[in-house]
Amino acid sequence: MKNKKIKSSRNKKTKKVKAWQETAAKLLAILLQFASIYALIVGLVGWLMPPVQKFISGFLYLFALPTDFSIFNAIVLFILASSIRHRRRLALWIEVIYFQFAFVILGIIFLASYFLGLVSKETLEAANFSILSLSLVILGVLVSLGTVIVMILSRNAFPTKIVNGTWWKALIIATGGFVSSIIGGVVVSYLTYHGSVTLGQRIFYVFKESVSDFRYLLPFGQNIFNYSSGNNIWVSSTISVIMLLGFISAFLMFTRSTQRELSANAKQELAVRQLILDYGDEDSLAYFATRRDKKAIFSKNKKAAITYHLFGDVLLASGDPIGDEKSWKSAGEAFLSLARAHGWTPGVVGSSEKGSKIYYQLGLNATVFGDEAVVLVPEFSIENAAMHDVAQVMRRAERENYQVKIRRQADIPSDELIELTRLTEEWRNGDERGYSMTSSRFGDPTDQQMMIVTASDAEGNYQGILSFAPVGSDKLSLDTMRRSPNAMNGVVTFMITSLIEAGKEEGLTEISLNFAAARQFFINGETLQANALDKAARKVMKFFSRWYQLESLYRSNDIYLPEWRTRYICYDNGGSLTSVLFAIGQAEGFVPTNISSKIKRFFFHDYENSIENHWWEKTSFIKNVHQIEEKKRLELSNENNHDDTYLQKHNDLKQLGIAPYSLPDTDFESVKNLRMNYENTDEFDEEEHSIQGRLVSSRGRGAIFFADLSDNQSKIQLVIKRDVINEYSESENRLENFATWKKDVTVGDRVLVKGVLMRTQTGELSLRVNSWKMLSKTLVELTEERKVSQTTFIEQTEKFSKIRESLILNGFIEVAKQEYLALSVGYDKVFSIHDLKINLLWAYRSADDVREFLSKVIDEDSSVNLSEIFPDPEMNKEGTPELKRALSFGLPAFTMAEIFISEETSNLGVNNKNEKK
């Protein structure tokens, strides 16, 4: 029966909190916090500014809050304000009943006594009671009554319940403190006062003195508990201190939040890993959501999640939500609801600008925490003069015959991986630090895709170990960094630089390095225009850098000339920022935590292993992780094969409003002329060039693509960057953005691109694309077999080569098979080679003109069929389906020539069947 009740209460839906209720709760917390501070400084305010002291005291009096100096009051009010801020239901009832409702009841009793004549005027005059005092009592009763009503109606904003069983523990502590204060007071009384007083009298006096400590906290308390025993300062001080400690301890116990261990489980980690595989191509911190000390909370549709851990009363998340960006807000709402329900303070460390905006929309504040160093691999060059230190390290490593190995963890033999894992533990300096940018493990069987970089000396001994978490298929993020105490200076720089150089060949685009906390303080303090505050902040950061390596992390990353990306802290309000920063200190290893666990581990060496269930070491779990990774790999492989999806991509463009066939919107240059003019140029201006041609290759993932474009006279590399393409598409209001290129533009398409010339790190002349336009969407897959076969056919057949060269020199452009639509987009002379046949199309030319031209190009062994085509479809009823379809696009009049090569050259070409789809 008991279990049924529990289940029923859990299924009860939480009532939605209205905006005005949330506002009322925040204002109450601010009011109590202000009252706690005022209780400490009221004497100073009264001495410096008596009118201000009277005004503030009168204001707090209206809300039935203490207005006299008392450390006891200040601490109790501060704890109560903290509990209200954490939305604890108990704190609400304490504030409403103990302060507001009590003031209303006592005020009504006093007013009734006054108006009924039960209190004499002499008594009131002796107490300096005036008409103004009467007015304040009446107004205070009304304000307190209004506060009671408002806060009761706002109770839905206080969902946090107290921990079961804590009320009686708090009662025992409070009673123990009260009894101890009496005992302590009696003992001190014996030691300091030797008059003729019996034990009973001493106890009675001390008891009344202990009770009188409430006179400043309870409304009208000074009138109710106006007794002073007359004992010396030692007795009253002893009683006050013991009472203070006892009641504050009881209050903390009574209002504490639910404390419980929050850690991952197998089902959750598999779900998180799936989200990372599906949506984690751009987030350098996503993989670290798989830490086993983090728990995840998911959006309503399970397409996004936030991972977090509980540090004291702070529920600390790290990085951005993982998963579909459309579901980030839903995950954020679930995270904040969890924090509110348990009275925890929500906080986020290491969120990007995009993630911080989501948290800001949900009501959190954000401030800069530091910067993430990201090396852009294609732009990295050790030849850069600014990388003198890096080049020096590389030369030193070469002189000392250091060697580096770069491998996926899956490719490392198990015995070698065990040895590397042992070394990472041996070389670790102190406890593992990091929460948002480390996985806190090495060599785990589930991390097969980790990139492991090792450095060895001339004798083959390991001197350094790095591990990088995968980010999509073309990015890495630094995880573990270890070096031998005997390694040469700069061994980490040697490994990182070697990885970057190797990454260029492997298609890596970005490598995220260490996070530099508080980097802005060092930067601002070093500038010439730095003010005194900036310089002071820099000195403070340099002081703490002696222990926490703040400056050294920034300096060690800056030598790679990275792109610095700002990371933020998100917090609930100004009062919670200190708590969040303290929790971050615990999370990152700067502030000691789990002291009790360390004590138990000291006395019981097997303590940790005996209490933990290492579910991640089970074979079934490891197998499941490998299966979802392999499934994703196969999905990506199928995407890259373009298996019969060309028609779908054609239709996708039409649905987006992009014409699959269109006219160029500008004049363009030939790639050949572009190369001739700039082949030997190293510095380029920002002049924009337009070229057109067919894509013959494409590579890359994530935020950058590389492609080769050929106009059949020459070829040039294209560099397509997401931020550049999207910036131009937005400014020019174009539909052709980066996402469409990535999804629907494939090898074989003919496009027009505009951009500026540049050279890559390898020195290759390239065009950095600003904008693009689809000219002709291919419907036939240009497979590697067809590309190789067709190239071989053209190159090995002498007659085809000569004819092809002659046509190009005469201004003809080579296109795909029977590309009639080329004529509709402005090309007058085109040709294609297919099945031992050349198809030539020449607009506005008669058959006689074309025959005369071909007589100078082909020999007598070849045969030619000529046809004059007119734009009227009715005049071409017997034409091919391709021709009939093309005529509907408004083709001009043209002559089509079919040139057949003699049979003796057919054995040099490709099999006709291989050329058919």
Side-chain angles (χ1 to χ4, degrees), residues 411-431:
D411 300 328
I412 301 177
S414 57
D415 55 344
E416 183 181 359
L417 186 61
I418 293 173
E419 174 64 11
L420 293 175
T421 304
R422 183 188 69 80
L423 291 176
T424 59
E425 291 296 317
E426 183 180 318
W427 294 342
R428 184 171 65 182
N429 185 18
D431 292 336

Side-chain angles (χ1 to χ4, degrees), residues 445-496:
T446 61
D447 296 328
Q448 296 289 73
Q449 300 307 310
M450 281 276 189
M451 188 71 77
I452 309 297
V453 183
T454 58
S456 306
D457 58 17
E459 287 74 32
N461 299 318
Y462 291 117
Q463 298 298 323
I465 303 171
L466 301 177
S467 69
F468 291 83
V471 183
S473 61
D474 62 343
K475 300 181 186 68
L476 296 173
S477 185
L478 180 62
D479 183 17
T480 305
M481 182 169 62
R482 300 283 190 272
R483 66 184 301 274
S484 168
N486 303 320
M488 72 168 191
N489 291 332
V491 65
V492 173
T493 301
F494 167 63
M495 289 188 288
I496 291 176

Side-chain angles (χ1 to χ4, degrees), residues 217-235:
L217 189 62
L218 192 69
F220 300 101
Q222 296 182 63
N223 302 103
I224 300 174
F225 304 111
N226 59 355
Y227 173 78
S228 178
S229 63
N231 284 321
N232 59 35
I233 188 66
W234 298 107
V235 173

Side-chain angles (χ1 to χ4, degrees), residues 765-880:
L765 181 65
S766 304
L767 186 79
R768 189 193 69 200
V769 178
N770 294 337
S771 61
W772 63 277
K773 183 178 184 180
M774 180 65 68
L775 298 182
S776 179
K777 185 78 181 96
T778 184
L779 299 178
V780 180
E781 182 180 2
L782 188 61
T783 62
E784 288 297 321
E785 179 182 341
R786 291 191 62 220
K787 284 193 286 187
V788 173
S789 299
Q790 192 167 6
T791 302
T792 303
F793 175 81
I794 295 172
E795 291 178 350
Q796 292 184 353
T797 306
E798 183 178 357
K799 289 187 177 181
F800 271 111
S801 298
K802 290 182 178 179
I803 295 173
R804 182 173 180 270
E805 182 179 359
S806 297
L807 293 177
I808 291 175
L809 290 175
N810 281 279
F812 282 81
I813 295 178
E814 186 177 3
V815 297
K817 173 189 175 184
Q818 293 182 338
E819 192 72 88
Y820 300 101
L821 294 183
L823 300 180
S824 70
V825 294
Y827 303 119
D828 293 340
K829 298 186 290 186
V830 298
F831 73 97
S832 63
I833 302 177
H834 180 72
D835 288 353
L836 301 178
K837 182 179 67 176
I838 298 175
N839 277 61
L840 183 146
L841 311 177
W842 197 341
Y844 310 111
R845 289 285 179 166
S846 65
D848 293 336
D849 292 338
V850 174
R851 185 182 293 108
E852 182 180 355
F853 168 76
L854 291 179
S855 65
K856 302 174 184 177
V857 175
I858 63 176
D859 55 26
E860 298 178 356
D861 295 332
S862 303
S863 58
V864 179
N865 288 339
L866 295 172
S867 303
E868 292 184 342
I869 311 297
F870 298 92
D872 186 2
E874 292 295 323
M875 299 177 63
N876 299 276
K877 292 182 178 180
E878 296 180 0
T880 62

Side-chain angles (χ1 to χ4, degrees), residues 375-380 406 408 451 453 473-476 495-511 706 761-762:
V375 176
L376 304 179
V377 175
E379 299 178 10
F380 180 88
I406 303 171
R408 293 285 181 183
M451 188 71 77
V453 183
S473 61
D474 62 343
K475 300 181 186 68
L476 296 173
M495 289 188 288
I496 291 176
T497 305
S498 300
L499 174 64
I500 296 172
E501 293 293 346
K504 294 179 182 179
E505 303 298 327
E506 298 298 325
L508 290 180
T509 58
E510 294 180 0
I511 297 179
F706 296 90
Q761 297 296 328
T762 58

Side-chain angles (χ1 to χ4, degrees), residues 521-550:
F521 292 111
F522 297 106
I523 296 295
N524 296 338
E526 292 172 348
T527 59
L528 293 175
Q529 63 269 28
N531 54 39
L533 184 61
D534 292 333
K535 293 179 180 179
R538 181 175 179 271
K539 289 181 180 179
V540 172
M541 290 299 106
K542 286 180 72 68
F543 175 77
F544 283 106
S545 293
R546 299 177 183 179
W547 298 278
Y548 300 131
Q549 299 179 340
L550 298 175

